[in-house]
Amino acid sequence: MPQPWQDTSLSAEDRAAALLSSMTLEEKLAQLAGAWPGSEAEEGEDVAPLQHEVSEAVDLDGLLPHGIGQLTRPFGTSPVEPAEGAAALARLQARIAAGNRFGIPALAHEECLTGFFAWRATVFPTPLAWGASFDPALVGRAAGLIGGSLRSAGIHQGLAPVLDVVRDARWGRTEESIGEDPYLVATIGTAYVRGLESAGIVATLKHFAGYAASRGGRNHAPVSIGPRELADVVLPPFELAVRDGGARSVMHSYNDVDGVPSAANPWLLTELLRDTWGFTGTVVADYFGVSFLELAHRVADTRGGAAGLALAAGVDVELPAVRCFGTPLRDAVRAGEVDEALVDRAALRVLRQKCELGLLDPDWSPMPSALAGLWTPREPPTSTSTTTSISTSIRRRCGPSRGSSPRSRWCCSPTTAMCCRSRRTPGSRWSARSPTTRPPCSAATPSPATSGWSTPDCPWASRCRRSSPRCAPSCPVRGSPMPRGAPRPAPPRPPVTRGRGLGRCGGAHRREPAGAGGQGGGGRGCVHRGAGRPLGPVRPGHLGRGLRRRRPRTPR
């Protein structure tokens, strides 16, 4: 018989309350923090401020009995093949759900500002281009596509959009912003939120608030602005995204406003955000933001003190990993320094959001849609050959897109969620084939004889650019096989011509065969007058007056 929190006929609020009443303090605290496997690895650069200085080793075996609230960046921490990453995430989710007595899985989040932050995923234009487009509908469509790819790979929350209004170009994260006008940022950002939420992904507004208005344009620096500028410039994008866009998560900023850190500001995170704007979602910490109350802002002297300040202000989840909301907060609660009602308030919000995402439903499965039907958590792939067969099965399972025709697009990517398609052109060798017949592709049909250029060795396999000079000759589209390790031939150098007896075009006009407007010079001449003659090699990017580099025409 299903438990009350698994009864889908009840509201998410009632289901979360029923589950909360059965949990111990340790189990509640486990839902308020994340786990970041691989963050403590020595190799690689930091993807978060002071990552290697603050990150600690993750003891999954010690965390599993009480549960895990969030999984941090399962695809973006280090490059991983999409099929392998989705399979690993599904196995980990099954392990997390089986490890705690309530079967609660983790909520997985990932960066998605310019697309799903994963290997081989589609990269969309930067937010500066969103603002330059002045097209909220287009931005919303792009966000919907991003959300669909996240959802199909097993991700539940996207850490985007950035709604900081930037008016100081010295600020180091300007490329992540939409623009300098509050109305533009509000309308474009809200469209992105709607698109992401329409795909079932929790949109996260960041950075709340004033992050881009720091002194001297320095990252993490204090913000000294008056209440009118804060209300007229900084806050409108967040208000519109909450009230009109339906955002379900907000991330606090690193900075302080008038000496009060955002992570410890109850007026900002509770009175304004929830009581005035009616926000009902979760407030998550920017990476190590709770720890920075102790390490950077110096408003707390212990981890437990920093956790108490953040929890009282309205922070519900500590990201990227548990450091303050774990044992230090538990000890502070038991010592009477922090009210357990604050823990219950945050845990109720987290559990309600998991109910809304279907993570507490009795028929929940860790299997993402990109891998549905290929394997089960009871039979996980245990070798490279098995994983490769999964990837190949997914690629071969990819058929033509909806409404396909002889010119339809074909998926050559390791997952259906992140399709990298190649369009066939009229008159090509495949244009007469049936729409249900898959064209040959080195990414989808690897051969042992040509494995040196097939997946995963060929860096161009997933793109399948048949006409690109960088394609491997082993691709069945390009030509005969090439042995492993053989150098890739360089593309032919386009000839350069120069006009003689230059007319008003300066010799840079289009050339035509002799007799059609010019004479001599190897059969090429200027359409105005004078002949052309071939030149020797010319340094690229240093073509003077009268010089023109003719590029060979290549079918698209």
Side-chain angles (χ1 to χ4, degrees):
M1 181 178 179
Q3 298 295 331
W5 57 83
Q6 295 177 318
D7 187 356
T8 56
S9 64
L10 300 177
S11 65
E13 185 79 21
D14 294 339
R15 294 171 62 189
L19 178 56
L20 183 67
S21 63
S22 304
M23 300 175 73
T24 65
L25 176 61
E26 288 78 8
E27 290 169 335
K28 297 174 187 176
L29 293 176
Q31 297 300 314
L32 307 186
W36 194 3
S39 61
E40 72 280 359
E42 294 297 331
E43 63 275 4
E45 299 180 356
D46 289 0
V47 296
L50 302 179
Q51 173 184 334
H52 287 87
E53 288 77 5
V54 182
S55 291
E56 299 175 350
V58 178
D59 180 16
L60 283 178
D61 293 332
L63 296 176
L64 289 178
H66 301 305
I68 296 176
Q70 291 219 13
L71 284 175
T72 296
R73 305 199 64 183
F75 289 87
T77 301
S78 59
V80 59
E81 287 290 337
E84 298 175 11
L89 177 58
R91 291 196 300 269
L92 182 56
Q93 286 281 44
R95 182 183 174 192
I96 292 172
N100 64 86
R101 63 191 181 108
F102 298 108
I104 307 175
L107 189 152
H109 72 261
E110 189 55 81
E111 294 283 357
C112 64
L113 188 63
T114 57
F116 186 8
F117 199 96
W119 182 246
R120 300 185 188 274
T122 301
V123 179
F124 287 80
T126 180
L128 288 174
W130 308 352
S133 72
F134 293 93
D135 193 340
L138 181 62
V139 174
R141 287 175 55 197
L145 295 173
I146 295 172
S149 64
L150 290 167
R151 188 72 175 178
S152 64
I155 302 297
H156 309 100
Q157 181 172 358
L159 303 186
V162 174
L163 298 183
D164 297 301
V165 179
V166 180
R167 294 190 168 181
D168 188 344
R170 296 175 298 176
W171 190 54
R173 301 181 67 172
T174 301
E175 75 281 358
E176 299 180 47
S177 64
I178 298 173
E180 62 181 359
D181 181 74
Y183 181 76
L184 176 66
V185 175
T187 53
I188 295 293
T190 300
Y192 184 94
V193 169
R194 288 199 203 99
L196 209 59
E197 291 282 352
S198 68
I201 297 296
V202 177
T204 307
L205 313 180
K206 55 184 194 179
H207 307 86
F208 194 61
Y211 192 33
S214 57
R215 297 177 188 171
R218 294 175 297 160
N219 199 17
H220 295 212
V223 174
S224 300
I225 58 177
R228 179 172 180 175
E229 185 178 357
L230 182 68
D232 288 352
V233 177
V234 175
L235 297 178
F238 293 94
E239 182 178 3
L240 189 65
V242 167
R243 290 186 165 180
D244 195 35
R248 288 184 286 174
S249 186
V250 172
M251 176 180 284
H252 75 74
S253 59
Y254 287 127
N255 60 277
D256 66 67
V257 178
D258 198 20
V260 181
S262 296
N265 192 337
W267 173 84
L268 184 68
L269 302 181
T270 299
E271 295 180 23
L272 177 66
L273 180 61
R274 297 188 182 274
D275 299 341
T276 303
W277 295 350
F279 178 71
T280 59
T282 58
V283 175
V284 300
D286 204 345
Y287 284 11
F288 306 115
V290 178
S291 296
F292 288 162
L293 294 177
E294 173 200 5
L295 303 176
H297 293 287
R298 303 290 185 179
V299 295
D301 55 356
T302 62
R303 296 186 184 185
L309 286 176
L311 202 61
V315 177
D316 302 315
V317 180
E318 180 187 15
L319 295 181
V322 58
R323 188 177 182 272
C324 300
F325 275 24
T327 302
L329 181 55
R330 182 201 63 187
D331 296 341
V333 170
R334 290 180 174 172
E337 299 174 1
V338 178
D339 189 355
E340 188 173 353
L342 297 176
V343 177
D344 293 343
R345 181 182 69 175
L348 182 64
R349 294 167 181 167
V350 172
L351 294 175
R352 181 176 62 233
Q353 193 165 88
K354 289 191 174 185
C355 284
E356 295 171 351
L357 293 170
L359 298 181
L360 300 183
D361 293 351
D363 58 349
W364 172 83
S365 171
M367 185 72 58
S369 60
L371 295 179
L374 295 179
W375 63 276
T376 63
R378 296 180 181 178
E379 299 176 357
T382 56
S383 65
T384 304
S385 59
T386 307
T387 305
T388 303
S389 65
I390 291 175
S391 303
T392 306
S393 298
I394 297 172
R395 288 193 296 271
R396 288 175 176 168
R397 188 168 66 104
C398 255
S401 59
R402 183 177 300 176
S404 61
S405 65
R407 300 183 188 181
S408 62
R409 295 182 176 183
W410 297 83
C411 178
C412 299
S413 173
T415 69
T416 58
M418 291 151 284
C419 284
C420 185
R421 300 178 175 119
S422 173
R423 182 184 294 275
R424 293 181 292 165
T425 57
S428 67
R429 56 188 296 185
W430 301 323
S431 60
R433 288 177 177 259
S434 168
T436 59
T437 303
R438 185 181 180 83
C441 176
S442 60
T445 56
S447 171
T450 61
S451 60
W453 291 106
S454 61
T455 305
D457 299 300
C458 177
W460 312 104
S462 68
R463 305 181 187 273
C464 191
R465 293 186 177 179
R466 298 179 285 106
S467 59
S468 173
R470 305 181 75 174
C471 282
S474 66
C475 179
V477 179
R478 292 287 295 171
S480 58
M482 171 179 281
R484 179 186 292 271
R488 185 182 292 112
R493 186 181 186 86
V496 179
T497 59
R498 179 175 63 189
R500 186 174 55 189
L502 303 179
R504 64 177 182 274
C505 66
H509 206 280
R510 177 183 174 185
R511 311 284 179 181
E512 294 189 1
Q519 73 258 359
R524 292 284 180 177
C526 176
V527 295
H528 289 109
R529 69 185 183 89
R533 58 184 176 87
L535 290 178
V538 178
R539 190 169 61 213
H542 193 267
L543 299 179
R545 179 178 176 83
L547 297 180
R548 175 178 175 270
R549 180 182 299 278
R550 291 191 288 106
R551 300 179 181 176
R553 303 186 65 180
T554 306
R556 295 184 179 178

